[in-house]
Amino acid sequence: MARTQRQYWALLILLICALAYEGGFLRDLVKVLRDPAAVPSPPFSVQIGTRTIGSGGPLWRHQILSLNGRPFTAENQLRDAVANSKPGDKLHLVLSAPSGNAIERDVPVPSEKEDFSSVSNVALEICLIVVIPAVCLILGFSVAFIRPRDPNAWLLMLLLIGFSSFAGGESWHRAFPTLSFLWESFCGSTWAIWLMLFAIRFPGRLELDRRKPWLKYLIILPSLATELFGRTLVWGWYGNIDAVLRWQPLFAKLYIVRLVLQMICVSLFFAILGMKSGTEQAPDDRRRLRILRTGASVSLAPMFLVVIYALVRDRDVFNGVPWPLVVTALCMMGLFPLTLAYVIVVERAMDLGFAIRMSVKYGLARGGLWIIRAGMLGLIVYVFSAHGGTAAKPLLLTMAGVGLVIIRRKNSDRASAWIDRKFFREAYDAEHVLAELAGEVGRYLEVKPLVEKVVTRVPAVLHVPDVVLLLTDKDSEDFRPRYSTRPGEPMSISAHGRIAAALRERNRPLEVYFDKPPDWIRELDAEELQTLDFMRTQLLLPLPGKDRLVGIMSLGPKLSEQPYSKTDLQLLQSVAMQMGMAIENSRLMTSLAESTALREVMNRELEIAREVQERLFPQKFPKVEGVDCYGYCRPARGVGGDYYDFVEQEGGKLGIAIGDVSGKGIAAALLMASLQASLRGQAMAGIHDLAALMRNVNKLVYDASQSNRYATFFYGEFDPATRFLSYVNAGHNAPVILRGDEIIRLEASGPVVGLLPGVGYTMDSCQMQPGDIFLSYTDGISEAMNEQDEEWEEERFLAAARSYMGQSAREMIEGIFEQADGFTGSAKQYDDMTLLIMKLNRHPVSLQ
């Protein structure tokens, strides 16, 4: 609350400054419109940092030596002389001509009548001084006051403040010249920076900025330094021309650098919007970005061309540019704040409607408390005034006041705290509970308690009364109701319908609204639309299994009418992913248990378990450009505790996992299934901090296993674009990278998983090169024994791998197992043997 109040105070101060600054323009405009012939206008302009007349005409490039009998030492002299003159008065100038001769001239002071002689000129001035700044300030401050804790709202406000000042230009008459100059410098110096930062942050932060946040400062810091130095020189020029004349050549270069840096910021604005439009996953955000990019291109492109023209001709902006082009550029700039208003208000980029409703409700609630207090005070005064004696009234009123203070301290403050908690802490509580729930659901091995847990916790924490959970079953691929709060018999959702297809294609929560329906809703048939309407669906959550969709959860609108925030969607997606994997694994385990109970022979039991476990291993290997990968596991007892996996992730990254569970047989296979579900749930949730991912996996496996069960585990993420491998080794045999004659070992950096709670892990990394071969294995490979109890050992294993380096990953694994079998002969093996290989091609070829 204290932080929010400080933000509101800062906004109020900025609003007062902006209104005062723009009010000066409006005052001057009203004065001119009343009688333009009575308002003086500057007869010429002076080049910044010099005494030279810069505007066209017969005095162009003449230097002013004196003005009205006084040496010309400050630019403010010209401003004051014009402000204290009347149209028709003459300014007496002593000039130095370009030839070097001194001349005297009497220059008449013109009026504003010529500039305001036509309706088009008046309309242009009103547009630049009134309409554009009004739209900018209303939109910017409205969004900031409604969403004071949203960084995007502040960036939008600062951008629009700078844009309003940029469009309005410079005023000659100011009641507070120093403050006006500082405000004008702040706005004019930073608008391009805010423009670039807004593109980086809207609607979500640029991924490149997440990875390398320092890059933007390569533009921001030089821009601020250039602006600060240049504005300091301008301020000195206003008061003492001689003090800045020595810097004039540098100032001219700074002016060019300033324009170039601003154009770089504007160019980056469009480049970032284009990049995001091509990579953004959410269709709503893609549409908003396209609208913003198109509107910004149309509105800013003419001004961009005018600035380029000025740079090429080495002139001030607008100097020498045809007047129709200037008018067109200035008018088109007015479309930019309108585009932002459309994207934010009409396209609902910042959910302003809900924030307004909540602000009104909060104000009414707090106001209601004050009304109750005032009513109680009035009632007490009335009672004591009507029934108390004259002598006793002061004493009774004093007692009433003390009692009211006590009531306020004990009850009113408590009520105020409850209101604050209700309005401002509920979101935090929801995030906390949903994050805990995401970690809990992965530990369930039965569907019924899992369903009961989720359908009670999610609606309770988000205040959603309408919840429907639909799951597939053995008898049908369609999604049938498993739980529903809706009256009547809920409808099923076809596995081959458009709803299921949209969830499979996007693999993320889908918001449902019909005032501006996305493409997938427009493609639904009447029956599917009726199903969504019956369930009062506002959000659809896919429950993904390993290779298919196992369920769909429908959530209706919140009681508060609050839309689902991005944080809500991320946490609900994590819950849904964990739930889907838990349901899939539960069904696999249920299938294993049922099949085992029906068979009396252990061989058949192991065969069923082996089939189930094989389904947990990759059924097909990912196709990644420039990468050849393969893996194989040979259990010692039909089923075992070895585990390997390839996890394809967003952005083209490839997850690589291998583990060895302690023990053998069914018990090890069950823990292996839990390890697989925990890893995939965490990896699919988008956790790229592998140390944190391993900590979560360790906690999940520890909670789901007995105290004497654990697993050695290695997990890495490989980026094909950079060939960068990040990894965490939790007590597993060190994988090796074969690079020619060199052997690189990826040693363990943490303890085994599932044995100790709360342990930490360290993420390491390795830069791989074309031709590198990554090998990871379990100790069943290196410790394979022959009939003489001799181990194969790592040296023989690596020698075998080197002999097949020219073969594919699959052929390498087949060859290595063939040599291992040749060494062991007929000796029985008591440990699972697992081998995983990833080869980087020397000359990557695109996979079709």
Side-chain angles (χ1 to χ4, degrees):
M1 285 297 297
R3 179 184 176 186
T4 302
Q5 290 177 355
R6 289 195 297 269
Q7 291 170 331
Y8 278 126
W9 277 112
L11 287 173
L12 184 60
I13 293 172
L14 288 175
L15 178 59
I16 292 173
C17 293
L19 292 178
Y21 180 77
E22 297 298 338
F25 283 105
L26 186 59
R27 180 200 61 190
D28 294 344
L29 178 62
V30 171
K31 184 178 179 181
V32 172
L33 291 177
R34 286 176 178 174
D35 188 5
V39 179
S41 175
F44 51 80
S45 64
V46 180
Q47 292 181 2
I48 296 177
T50 69
R51 293 187 174 88
T52 306
I53 296 176
S55 55
L59 300 182
W60 181 48
R61 298 180 64 187
H62 286 61
Q63 293 194 33
I64 305 174
L65 300 180
S66 71
L67 172 63
N68 291 339
R70 294 174 55 195
F72 188 67
T73 59
E75 195 272 347
N76 284 335
Q77 290 180 238
L78 178 61
R79 294 177 181 245
D80 295 339
V82 173
N84 296 324
S85 300
K86 296 180 180 179
D89 292 347
K90 294 184 178 181
L91 302 178
H92 183 71
L93 303 176
V94 176
L95 306 171
S96 174
S99 62
N101 298 326
I103 60 175
E104 295 187 30
R105 289 288 187 274
D106 289 327
V107 180
V109 176
S111 69
E112 296 284 358
K113 183 176 181 180
E114 182 178 349
D115 292 336
F116 287 81
S117 59
S118 65
V119 176
S120 60
N121 285 358
V122 173
L124 178 62
E125 292 293 333
I126 292 176
C127 177
L128 294 177
I129 296 176
V130 179
V131 177
I132 292 180
V135 173
C136 290
L137 297 183
I138 291 173
L139 176 62
F141 280 99
S142 297
V143 173
F145 271 103
I146 291 170
R147 303 181 65 87
R149 290 179 289 180
D150 187 348
N152 283 348
W154 281 82
L155 282 176
L156 176 68
M157 180 197 66
L158 293 170
L159 166 60
L160 289 175
I161 288 176
F163 191 81
S164 67
S165 172
F166 178 76
E170 179 185 7
S171 174
W172 273 71
H173 312 296
R174 282 286 176 260
F176 305 100
T178 301
L179 295 178
S180 296
F181 177 79
L182 292 176
W183 179 260
E184 191 174 275
S185 298
F186 168 74
C187 298
S189 301
T190 58
W191 72 270
I193 295 175
W194 303 129
L195 186 70
M196 178 186 69
L197 292 177
F198 183 76
I200 291 175
R201 300 280 309 190
F202 179 83
R205 188 174 178 184
L206 184 68
E207 184 60 32
L208 178 61
D209 188 58
R210 293 181 188 275
R211 298 196 307 266
K212 300 179 179 180
W214 51 268
L215 278 177
K216 57 180 176 287
Y217 295 106
L218 298 180
I219 300 297
I220 294 175
L221 294 180
S223 298
L224 292 177
T226 303
E227 293 286 355
L228 179 61
F229 188 67
R231 296 283 175 171
T232 302
L233 290 179
V234 171
W235 179 249
W237 173 65
Y238 285 157
N240 189 342
I241 295 178
D242 292 330
V244 298
L245 275 178
R246 72 184 69 176
W247 301 99
Q248 203 280 331
L250 177 60
F251 183 85
K253 296 178 181 178
L254 283 176
Y255 180 77
I256 300 298
V257 172
R258 172 176 176 263
L259 287 180
V260 170
L261 289 172
Q262 288 184 347
M263 299 314 296
I264 290 175
C265 290
V266 174
S267 301
L268 287 175
F269 169 80
F270 287 105
I272 293 171
L273 290 184
M275 185 187 308
K276 286 187 174 181
S277 299
T279 58
E280 180 60 50
Q281 297 294 322
D284 290 342
D285 287 343
R286 283 202 305 270
R287 184 179 67 253
R288 292 163 184 156
L289 287 167
R290 286 197 299 268
I291 294 173
L292 179 58
R293 185 180 59 176
T294 302
S297 300
V298 172
S299 59
L300 299 182
M303 183 58 65
F304 187 90
L305 296 177
V306 169
V307 174
I308 294 296
Y309 176 82
L311 288 173
V312 173
R313 299 293 298 271
D314 193 18
R315 293 185 176 183
D316 291 344
V317 178
F318 300 140
N319 190 6
V321 180
W323 180 241
L325 296 181
V326 173
V327 172
T328 301
L330 292 174
C331 291
M332 294 300 290
M333 284 180 62
L335 296 177
F336 181 66
L338 295 178
T339 301
L340 289 173
Y342 181 85
V343 170
I344 291 168
V345 178
V346 180
E347 290 293 325
R348 302 179 301 184
M350 291 187 178
D351 294 327
L352 298 185
F354 167 74
I356 293 173
R357 290 196 299 273
M358 290 298 287
S359 298
V360 172
K361 291 178 181 178
Y362 178 71
L364 291 175
R366 292 303 297 264
L369 286 179
W370 282 103
I371 293 174
I372 293 173
R373 294 170 187 168
M376 292 176 63
L377 178 61
L379 179 61
I380 292 173
V381 171
Y382 171 77
V383 170
F384 288 133
S385 298
H387 302 285
T390 304
K393 279 184 179 181
L395 178 60
L396 292 175
L397 289 175
T398 302
M399 293 175 62
V402 173
L404 188 62
V405 170
I406 294 174
I407 291 173
R408 182 186 182 279
R409 290 183 64 86
K410 288 187 175 181
N411 298 311
S412 185
D413 286 350
R414 188 179 304 167
S416 298
W418 179 86
I419 288 175
D420 291 343
R421 184 168 60 252
K422 174 69 176 176
F423 279 86
F424 296 102
R425 297 180 187 172
E426 186 175 282
Y428 168 77
D429 294 338
E431 294 176 15
H432 182 69
V433 173
L434 288 177
E436 287 185 346
L437 183 61
E440 291 177 9
V441 296
R443 300 198 294 266
Y444 283 86
L445 297 178
E446 296 183 14
V447 174
K448 185 177 179 180
L450 171 63
V451 170
E452 292 176 351
K453 183 77 169 181
V454 173
V455 298
T456 54
R457 292 290 293 278
V458 171
V461 71
L462 293 178
H463 306 293
V464 179
D466 299 307
V467 179
V468 179
L469 178 64
L470 306 100
L471 301 177
T472 58
D473 54 34
K474 295 184 296 184
D475 301 327
S476 173
E477 294 181 351
D478 293 341
F479 301 93
R480 297 181 176 179
R482 184 67 178 263
Y483 174 87
S484 174
T485 59
R486 301 290 297 146
E489 183 64 27
M491 304 176 181
S492 299
I493 295 180
S494 172
H496 305 290
R498 186 58 193 146
I499 294 177
L503 289 169
R504 279 192 292 265
E505 290 170 4
R506 291 161 177 80
N507 194 30
R508 59 176 175 81
L510 296 181
E511 294 181 272
V512 178
Y513 50 88
F514 297 97
D515 54 344
K516 266 187 165 306
D519 294 339
W520 70 271
I521 290 184
R522 296 192 187 100
E523 298 174 1
L524 301 183
D525 57 32
E527 183 179 351
E528 290 178 313
L529 290 172
Q530 185 179 0
T531 300
L532 294 179
D533 181 67
F534 173 83
M535 297 188 299
R536 297 192 72 238
T537 303
Q538 187 169 328
L539 186 68
L540 286 174
L541 293 173
L543 308 183
K546 183 175 175 59
D547 298 313
R548 63 192 181 101
L549 201 62
V550 299
I552 299 173
M553 177 178 262
S554 167
L555 298 179
K558 298 180 180 179
L559 290 175
S560 63
E561 300 181 6
Q562 178 183 9
Y564 290 94
S565 66
K566 287 190 176 182
T567 302
D568 290 339
L569 298 180
Q570 292 171 356
L571 292 171
L572 286 171
Q573 184 175 15
S574 179
V575 171
M577 285 182 173
Q578 294 276 19
M579 186 178 181
M581 295 302 297
I583 290 174
E584 178 110 325
N585 287 329
S586 174
R587 289 175 173 176
L588 289 174
M589 295 302 103
T590 301
S591 175
L592 173 61
E594 291 175 352
S595 299
T596 301
L598 295 175
R599 283 148 180 86
E600 300 177 356
V601 182
M602 179 57 75
N603 290 338
R604 183 54 180 160
E605 271 186 20
L606 295 177
E607 180 63 20
I608 295 171
R610 186 186 65 80
E611 293 174 359
V612 173
Q613 187 177 45
E614 284 184 351
R615 293 177 61 185
L616 298 178
F617 290 124
Q619 302 301 299
K620 58 182 180 180
F621 296 93
K623 294 183 178 180
V624 180
E625 183 176 346
V627 177
D628 179 19
C629 52
Y630 195 80
Y632 178 68
C633 175
R634 179 195 289 173
R637 298 184 182 177
V639 294
D642 278 9
Y643 162 62
Y644 77 93
D645 205 355
F646 293 97
V647 183
E648 294 183 85
Q649 299 180 345
E650 294 182 1
K653 289 186 177 181
L654 179 64
I656 306 167
I658 189 168
D660 187 355
V661 176
S662 63
K664 304 290 181 292
I666 296 295
L670 289 173
L671 185 56
M672 172 266 195
S674 177
L675 176 62
Q676 186 256 9
S678 300
L679 171 68
R680 280 202 163 249
Q682 294 294 313
M684 290 181 177
I687 300 177
H688 296 294
D689 182 354
L690 301 191
L693 180 147
M694 193 64 76
R695 287 195 299 270
N696 295 341
V697 170
N698 176 68
K699 183 179 185 304
L700 293 172
V701 175
Y702 177 85
D703 292 341
S705 62
Q706 299 176 358
S707 59
N708 62 342
R709 293 290 182 182
Y710 62 91
T712 65
F713 189 52
F714 172 93
Y715 179 72
E717 283 186 357
F718 176 72
D719 188 347
T722 61
R723 303 189 189 94
F724 197 75
L725 176 66
S726 303
Y727 65 92
V728 176
N729 190 341
H732 194 72
N733 302 81
V736 299
I737 296 176
L738 300 182
R739 180 178 295 166
D741 296 331
E742 184 182 2
I743 296 176
I744 302 173
R745 288 180 168 80
L746 310 182
E747 299 291 349
S749 57
V752 297
V753 298
L755 186 62
L756 299 171
V759 297
Y761 296 89
T762 302
M763 182 175 72
D764 295 310
S765 60
C766 176
Q767 179 64 57
M768 300 187 68
Q769 300 179 8
D772 282 358
I773 301 176
F774 173 90
L775 297 96
S776 189
Y777 60 97
T778 59
D779 53 13
I781 294 284
S782 58
E783 296 176 3
M785 302 183 69
N786 59 17
E787 295 175 342
Q788 288 75 39
D789 290 338
E790 294 177 343
E791 291 186 356
W792 197 31
E793 298 181 344
E794 187 184 69
E795 289 76 12
R796 292 189 179 95
F797 160 64
L798 294 179
R802 287 187 176 282
S803 65
Y804 296 99
M805 289 179 63
Q807 307 297 319
S808 67
R810 178 171 184 169
E811 291 170 341
M812 283 188 69
I813 288 180
E814 291 173 349
I816 291 171
F817 269 87
E818 182 178 353
Q819 290 200 26
D821 292 340
F823 175 82
T824 59
S826 59
K828 185 177 181 180
Q829 301 304 307
Y830 296 94
D831 201 357
D832 308 327
M833 303 173 67
T834 302
L835 179 58
L836 180 152
I837 291 180
M838 179 181 70
K839 295 187 62 177
L840 303 190
N841 298 338
R842 294 186 179 277
H843 304 288
V845 179
S846 178
L847 297 172
Q848 302 293 333

